[in-house]
Amino acid sequence: MKKTVVLGVTSGIAAYKTLDLVRSLKKNGAEVFVVMTESAMAMVPASKFKKASGNKVYNKLFEKGFDYTDILKIRRVDHIDLADKADIIVIAPATANIIAKIAHGIADDFLTTTLLAVHCPVIICPSMNVNMWNNPIVQENITKLRALGYHIVEPEKGMLACGYEGEGRLAHIKIIKEEI
């Protein structure tokens, strides 16, 4: 049976690395749907994820021409449909912002509303500056998410995009794929 992976891409510099994850998952027979935050789309064009996944890239809760009466006629909402079909959801890279939103139940975009509707495992792959990662607020949010049953793929140590060195690099794509 073909597995459905929903990949949430946020605005970490490592967003470009997740293109390789999409390609690798597709190569192994998974159906991959990508949800990008608005800021992530400034990092990597959605068209690249569409090409890699072969599917529409989701971003806006209310696309151009949205009409609530259409929803009432067909009784289907994209973020609920996506949540229902997902066998697993992976957030990579997961910024401090998305981690905080998830930990506090904030649903103000396509990705966060989808996350509140899922009934499958969720893997969070943090990626950020070492000082941000070590911030007590971020660590408190990670602890809360673990307690709620979210799976966390720890960031790696190394040279970061900002020029700092330390823990905060997105885990290697191979490790994320193994976790999936």
Side-chain angles (χ1 to χ4, degrees):
M1 179 168 85
K2 186 180 265 194
K3 295 291 182 181
T4 300
V5 178
V6 174
L7 174 64
V9 180
T10 68
S11 65
I13 296 290
Y16 75 93
K17 294 180 180 181
T18 58
L19 284 165
D20 288 336
L21 178 61
V22 173
R23 291 181 193 110
S24 181
L25 291 168
K26 290 285 293 177
K27 189 175 182 180
N28 283 358
E31 184 75 17
V32 182
F33 293 92
V34 178
V35 179
M36 296 180 77
T37 63
E38 201 66 38
S39 295
M41 292 178 70
M43 298 292 233
V44 180
S47 60
K48 290 190 178 206
F49 283 101
K50 182 178 181 182
K51 182 178 179 184
S53 70
N55 289 312
K56 171 185 177 175
V57 173
Y58 294 90
N59 169 258
K60 297 190 182 301
L61 277 173
F62 306 105
E63 293 187 8
K64 189 175 181 175
F66 175 83
D67 182 348
Y68 75 92
T69 61
D70 293 337
I71 300 299
L72 294 175
K73 286 177 194 168
I74 62 172
R75 297 289 182 191
R76 297 189 65 109
V77 180
D78 284 346
H79 66 277
I80 302 300
D81 284 348
L82 199 55
D84 287 346
K85 73 172 76 170
D87 291 307
I88 192 161
I89 293 188
V90 182
I91 312 299
T95 59
N97 183 54
I98 198 72
I99 290 167
K101 285 181 177 186
I102 299 166
H104 295 281
I106 296 171
D108 62 355
D109 61 16
F110 196 101
L111 180 56
T112 52
T113 55
T114 302
L115 285 167
L116 284 183
V118 300
H119 47 83
C120 65
V122 177
I123 299 173
I124 297 174
C125 307
S127 177
M128 63 195 76
N129 168 274
V130 62
N131 295 331
M132 293 171 75
W133 174 247
N134 289 322
N135 185 294
I137 296 168
V138 173
Q139 289 304 307
E140 183 178 303
N141 288 335
I142 290 291
T143 299
K144 182 177 183 177
L145 291 175
R146 276 194 179 103
L148 291 169
Y150 290 83
H151 304 274
I152 310 296
V153 176
E154 294 285 331
E156 297 177 353
K157 291 180 181 176
M159 182 57 71
L160 306 175
C162 62
Y164 283 57
E165 193 164 336
E167 196 171 16
R169 289 172 55 106
L170 180 67
H172 194 279
I173 295 303
K174 182 179 177 184
I175 292 170
I176 296 170
K177 186 178 170 196
E178 287 173 5
E179 186 68 22
I180 294 168

mmCIF file of all heavy atoms in Angstrom, residues 9 36 60 64 69 79 82 96 98 109 123 159 178:
data_model
loop_
_atom_site.group_PDB
_atom_site.id
_atom_site.type_symbol
_atom_site.label_atom_id
_atom_site.label_comp_id
_atom_site.label_asym_id
_atom_site.label_seq_id
_atom_site.Cartn_x
_atom_site.Cartn_y
_atom_site.Cartn_z
ATOM 1 N N VAL A 9 6.886 22.592 5.150
ATOM 2 C CA VAL A 9 8.158 23.294 4.969
ATOM 3 C C VAL A 9 8.002 24.703 5.516
ATOM 4 O O VAL A 9 7.121 25.447 5.077
ATOM 5 C CB VAL A 9 8.565 23.331 3.472
ATOM 6 C CG1 VAL A 9 9.896 24.056 3.294
ATOM 7 C CG2 VAL A 9 8.642 21.922 2.903
ATOM 8 N N MET A 36 3.602 24.587 2.375
ATOM 9 C CA MET A 36 4.640 25.579 2.662
ATOM 10 C C MET A 36 4.034 26.782 3.383
ATOM 11 O O MET A 36 2.940 27.223 3.042
ATOM 12 C CB MET A 36 5.286 26.063 1.363
ATOM 13 C CG MET A 36 6.017 24.980 0.603
ATOM 14 S SD MET A 36 6.758 25.609 -0.931
ATOM 15 C CE MET A 36 8.195 26.465 -0.257
ATOM 16 N N LYS A 60 -2.173 28.498 0.953
ATOM 17 C CA LYS A 60 -3.189 29.455 1.409
ATOM 18 C C LYS A 60 -4.466 28.746 1.839
ATOM 19 O O LYS A 60 -4.963 27.872 1.139
ATOM 20 C CB LYS A 60 -3.514 30.449 0.298
ATOM 21 C CG LYS A 60 -2.340 31.308 -0.101
ATOM 22 C CD LYS A 60 -2.796 32.428 -1.017
ATOM 23 C CE LYS A 60 -1.642 33.280 -1.466
ATOM 24 N NZ LYS A 60 -0.896 33.909 -0.422
ATOM 25 N N LYS A 64 -7.357 32.454 -4.155
ATOM 26 C CA LYS A 64 -8.062 33.453 -4.956
ATOM 27 C C LYS A 64 -9.378 32.859 -5.469
ATOM 28 O O LYS A 64 -9.413 31.732 -5.948
ATOM 29 C CB LYS A 64 -7.189 33.887 -6.139
ATOM 30 C CG LYS A 64 -7.733 35.055 -6.899
ATOM 31 C CD LYS A 64 -6.769 35.503 -7.981
ATOM 32 C CE LYS A 64 -7.351 36.704 -8.708
ATOM 33 N NZ LYS A 64 -6.421 37.254 -9.667
ATOM 34 N N THR A 69 -19.671 29.305 -0.135
ATOM 35 C CA THR A 69 -20.820 28.521 -0.592
ATOM 36 C C THR A 69 -20.373 27.272 -1.359
ATOM 37 O O THR A 69 -21.079 26.261 -1.333
ATOM 38 C CB THR A 69 -21.781 29.367 -1.468
ATOM 39 O OG1 THR A 69 -21.083 29.838 -2.626
ATOM 40 C CG2 THR A 69 -22.347 30.541 -0.678
ATOM 41 N N HIS A 79 -7.579 21.498 3.821
ATOM 42 C CA HIS A 79 -6.690 21.134 4.933
ATOM 43 C C HIS A 79 -7.227 19.933 5.725
ATOM 44 O O HIS A 79 -6.446 19.146 6.246
ATOM 45 C CB HIS A 79 -6.381 22.336 5.845
ATOM 46 C CG HIS A 79 -7.536 22.888 6.594
ATOM 47 N ND1 HIS A 79 -8.419 23.773 6.035
ATOM 48 C CD2 HIS A 79 -7.932 22.703 7.860
ATOM 49 C CE1 HIS A 79 -9.330 24.112 6.916
ATOM 50 N NE2 HIS A 79 -9.061 23.471 8.044
ATOM 51 N N LEU A 82 -6.435 16.833 3.457
ATOM 52 C CA LEU A 82 -5.014 16.504 3.541
ATOM 53 C C LEU A 82 -4.695 15.824 4.874
ATOM 54 O O LEU A 82 -3.965 14.832 4.916
ATOM 55 C CB LEU A 82 -4.179 17.776 3.359
ATOM 56 C CG LEU A 82 -2.729 17.597 2.970
ATOM 57 C CD1 LEU A 82 -2.573 16.772 1.707
ATOM 58 C CD2 LEU A 82 -2.067 18.954 2.807
ATOM 59 N N ALA A 96 11.654 27.903 15.100
ATOM 60 C CA ALA A 96 11.176 28.190 16.453
ATOM 61 C C ALA A 96 9.734 28.680 16.395
ATOM 62 O O ALA A 96 8.920 28.362 17.277
ATOM 63 C CB ALA A 96 12.079 29.234 17.112
ATOM 64 N N ILE A 98 7.248 27.898 14.162
ATOM 65 C CA ILE A 98 6.262 26.836 13.955
ATOM 66 C C ILE A 98 6.182 25.928 15.171
ATOM 67 O O ILE A 98 5.106 25.456 15.539
ATOM 68 C CB ILE A 98 6.520 26.032 12.653
ATOM 69 C CG1 ILE A 98 5.264 25.245 12.238
ATOM 70 C CG2 ILE A 98 7.681 25.084 12.796
ATOM 71 C CD1 ILE A 98 4.160 26.095 11.712
ATOM 72 N N ASP A 109 -2.622 29.440 9.590
ATOM 73 C CA ASP A 109 -2.245 29.245 8.189
ATOM 74 C C ASP A 109 -2.603 27.812 7.791
ATOM 75 O O ASP A 109 -3.141 27.048 8.598
ATOM 76 C CB ASP A 109 -0.757 29.549 7.965
ATOM 77 C CG ASP A 109 0.192 28.666 8.765
ATOM 78 O OD1 ASP A 109 -0.224 27.612 9.282
ATOM 79 O OD2 ASP A 109 1.367 29.027 8.865
ATOM 80 N N ILE A 123 6.210 14.198 12.876
ATOM 81 C CA ILE A 123 7.641 14.304 13.141
ATOM 82 C C ILE A 123 8.052 15.757 12.951
ATOM 83 O O ILE A 123 7.759 16.357 11.913
ATOM 84 C CB ILE A 123 8.465 13.416 12.190
ATOM 85 C CG1 ILE A 123 8.087 11.942 12.369
ATOM 86 C CG2 ILE A 123 9.966 13.624 12.415
ATOM 87 C CD1 ILE A 123 8.738 11.016 11.346
ATOM 88 N N MET A 159 28.470 23.791 11.529
ATOM 89 C CA MET A 159 28.447 25.176 11.070
ATOM 90 C C MET A 159 27.036 25.495 10.601
ATOM 91 O O MET A 159 26.452 24.760 9.811
ATOM 92 C CB MET A 159 29.449 25.382 9.929
ATOM 93 C CG MET A 159 29.507 26.820 9.433
ATOM 94 S SD MET A 159 29.908 28.046 10.700
ATOM 95 C CE MET A 159 31.639 27.680 10.979
ATOM 96 N N GLU A 178 14.722 7.886 7.555
ATOM 97 C CA GLU A 178 14.682 6.683 8.388
ATOM 98 C C GLU A 178 13.619 6.814 9.481
ATOM 99 O O GLU A 178 12.929 5.856 9.793
ATOM 100 C CB GLU A 178 16.054 6.412 9.005
ATOM 101 C CG GLU A 178 17.067 5.888 8.007
ATOM 102 C CD GLU A 178 18.469 5.793 8.582
ATOM 103 O OE1 GLU A 178 18.669 6.041 9.791
ATOM 104 O OE2 GLU A 178 19.404 5.502 7.788
#
